[in-house]
Amino acid sequence: MKELLKPYISTSQNINHLRDSVIKMGQYLKNRYPDIQLDYIGGPITADGPANIKRNLILLGSVAEIIHMSEGVFTYTNPYVGDLRRFPGLSESDFILYSAQLLESGIFDRLTLVEGWERSVGSNDEYRRAIAIGIQIRTYPLDKMALSTNAI
């Protein structure tokens, strides 16, 4: 899904356009490949402080790629669309709303939460929302990622 989103990422002028593009791409994939699963990957981005945001974005993107390659499912994670802070004037509640709207769009079959998600306000909201709308939830331990990347 990451590669398919690239043209939309660069042309999105605001977070609402970006959200709509992600949803449209997810709908396209679900229609084109009705038997494929689409996973939303969540985890701590800002929970470890501003100095670790870039590291956490890379980590979530890496987990999403590992899951895509090892399980054959389409994956989406917010790092796929870059640092959402590039849209000026947005607050943490705007980012949480963006993620909530994606989860509520009906395109995702499962929420995968990366280890440490409990420290994240956004991931806690994703967790509660997934329960409320009936999306399957699983956690992804970081030691599993280390094993996967060592095998590559």
Side-chain angles (χ1 to χ4, degrees), residues 101-115:
Q101 290 169 332
L102 290 179
L103 282 172
E104 291 173 347
S105 71
I107 62 172
F108 295 102
D109 301 296
R110 179 171 58 191
L111 170 62
T112 298
L113 293 166
V114 175
E115 183 180 327

Side-chain angles (χ1 to χ4, degrees), residues 77-129:
T77 188
N78 284 336
Y80 279 2
V81 296
D83 190 340
L84 294 175
R85 294 175 298 166
R86 73 179 183 275
F87 300 117
L90 296 177
S91 66
E92 184 176 29
S93 61
D94 293 319
F95 300 138
I96 291 171
L97 178 62
Y98 168 83
S99 297
Q101 290 169 332
L102 290 179
L103 282 172
E104 291 173 347
S105 71
I107 62 172
F108 295 102
D109 301 296
R110 179 171 58 191
L111 170 62
T112 298
L113 293 166
V114 175
E115 183 180 327
W117 69 270
E118 302 91 345
R119 298 187 315 274
S120 166
V121 172
S123 293
N124 273 278
D125 184 76
E126 292 162 351
Y127 175 78
R128 286 188 299 275
R129 200 166 303 275

Side-chain angles (χ1 to χ4, degrees), residues 26-42:
Q27 291 168 336
Y28 165 78
L29 291 171
K30 298 296 272 185
N31 288 330
R32 178 99 163 86
Y33 307 101
D35 296 328
I36 199 87
Q37 182 166 308
L38 185 55
D39 273 22
Y40 181 106
I41 314 298

Side-chain angles (χ1 to χ4, degrees), residues 2 5 10 17-18 22 35-36 47 52 67 72 81 89-90 103 106 128-129 132-133 140 149:
K2 179 181 179 179
L5 283 171
S10 60
H17 181 260
L18 183 61
V22 172
D35 296 328
I36 199 87
N52 294 307
I67 291 171
V81 296
L90 296 177
L103 282 172
R128 286 188 299 275
R129 200 166 303 275
I133 58 181
Y140 192 90
T149 55

Side-chain angles (χ1 to χ4, degrees), residues 58-67 69-70 140-152:
I58 292 168
L59 174 70
L60 287 179
S62 297
V63 168
E65 291 300 312
I66 289 168
I67 291 171
M69 298 301 289
S70 65
Y140 192 90
L142 292 179
D143 62 338
K144 186 173 181 181
M145 183 186 158
L147 293 172
S148 298
T149 55
N150 287 338
I152 294 176

